[in-house]
Amino acid sequence: MLIKNKSGIEIPSSEITPKHIYLNRRTFMKGAAVVTAAGLVAACRPAPPEGHPAAVATQAAQEAAVNIDPTTGAVATATPRVDELGDPWTPYRDVTNYNNYYEFTTDKNDVAKLAQDFQTSPWQVTVGGMVKNPGVYDIDDLRTKFDQEERVYRLRCVEAWSMVIPWMGFPLRKLLEEIEPTSEAKYVRFETLNDPEQMPGLRSPWYSWPYVEGLRIDEAMNDLAILATGLYGEALLPQNGAPVRLVVPWKYGFKSIKSIVKIDLVAEQPTSLWMDAASNEYGFYANVNPNVNHPRWSQANERRIGEIGRRDTLMFNGYEEQVAYLYEGMDLRANF
Ligand SMILES: Nc1nc2c(c(=O)[nH]1)N[C@H]1C(S)=C(S)[C@@H](COP(=O)(O)O)O[C@H]1N2
Ligand SMILES: [Mo]
């Protein structure tokens, strides 16, 4: 059965999961990580019969919740493969095969193929504008100068699907501290490579290329904002924005601009590609907010890739505690 929502978008009823079921699933996944860690230590214990809750839990955990060495079956590390809410990492094949990257194509399932020969080396990022120390950073400088850390973040696309992605990268703040914005600088403006030879999507006349995004300086200084150079412990693939892209997990995915070649500190609020394309639909802030709908669809819930059903969308994508201070006193409906 298809259910039409207010804006006329059809959602199969099978995709709508009651809250208590997904909350249970979440608790289950948390438990599953523990079950497996214990279960595999006692490796000789007889396996529970197939279909038995313990067997299901173990299998689910093996697939999603812990690092298993595929050859020996041993737990490779004790790190559970879940985010801080207990949500499992989205499978690598989904993270690397279901992408938005309009410079290549608007078809999410075709980006990986069209981007496979994209040249990400040599690569330089020009950093300037209102800063004391402008410069050109080679991608290798960015990788070696700044300690790379793993950050497991939810990515919520404005189209109402989401993933959990283990990024590798470093806080954007570290770069800003090095280049020292002057007192006139109020925003950070980012630009993606604009190379029609390599990016067939740039032929589309609907967008004003290059892809541009921006953050207010205090947002850019928040520890959650990172420049990512890898995911799942490996270098980024072209479809995910290689060799370096922004990740701002409390904002809709389109703010997380890919394949950056230019970063400028500026005084005026930058106009992003999406604001330019449809200012009534995409604002500068683009904070994930279940209470403010997109003009054409609800933002109240989302489809987590790899899951059946839908889950409630969380304020600031679940990062309210870390970022709400940035917007105190602001009308989030007007500043959407
Ligand atoms: N340059 C550029 N960056 C981009 C996009 C794009 O089309 N071009 N798409 C954005 C959107 S809409 C989303 S949801 C995320 C998707 O990131 P992923 O494919 O790595 O999951 O990238 C964002 N960054
Ligand atoms: Mo998106």
Side-chain angles (χ1 to χ4, degrees), residues 71 98 104 235 326:
T71 50
Y98 188 81
F104 290 95
L326 292 165

Side-chain angles (χ1 to χ4, degrees), residues 90-247:
T90 300
Y92 181 79
R93 66 172 177 280
D94 292 329
V95 176
T96 55
N97 283 286
Y98 188 81
N99 304 100
N100 269 331
Y101 202 161
Y102 278 30
E103 286 87 334
F104 290 95
T105 170
T106 56
D107 184 339
K108 284 185 259 298
N109 299 299
D110 267 359
V111 176
K113 199 170 122 227
L114 284 167
Q116 64 185 348
D117 296 325
F118 183 57
Q119 292 303 308
T120 57
S121 157
W123 191 277
Q124 293 181 325
V125 183
T126 306
V127 187
M130 298 170 157
V131 298
K132 295 196 183 111
N133 312 311
V136 177
Y137 288 79
D138 195 86
I139 185 64
D140 293 324
D141 298 342
L142 293 177
R143 286 205 193 95
T144 51
K145 203 165 193 150
F146 305 101
D147 289 340
Q148 309 290 308
E149 31 181 301
E150 184 172 76
R151 297 284 185 100
V152 180
Y153 287 156
R154 293 170 291 287
L155 175 92
R156 169 58 157 83
C157 176
V158 73
E159 299 162 336
W161 53 265
S162 61
M163 298 189 185
V164 177
I165 304 177
W167 302 105
M168 297 294 299
F170 61 93
L172 173 60
R173 168 174 45 84
K174 302 258 164 137
L175 177 65
L176 295 181
E177 281 164 0
E178 180 157 311
I179 61 176
E180 293 188 70
T182 65
S183 56
E184 301 97 81
K186 299 284 180 282
Y187 296 89
V188 190
R189 181 186 180 279
F190 305 85
E191 214 176 281
T192 297
L193 180 72
N194 186 16
D195 181 1
E197 300 265 297
Q198 296 197 76
M199 299 166 137
L202 293 175
R203 273 179 246 139
S204 168
W206 300 110
Y207 302 99
S208 56
W209 310 104
Y211 198 101
V212 166
E213 263 307 337
L215 295 173
R216 225 170 50 195
I217 281 198
D218 56 346
E219 297 180 309
M221 292 294 288
N222 184 282
D223 185 62
L224 289 182
I226 59 166
L227 287 174
T229 55
L231 58 81
Y232 265 92
E234 287 171 28
L236 283 183
L237 293 174
Q239 59 266 39
N240 294 107
V244 61
R245 57 97 55 91
L246 182 69
V247 181

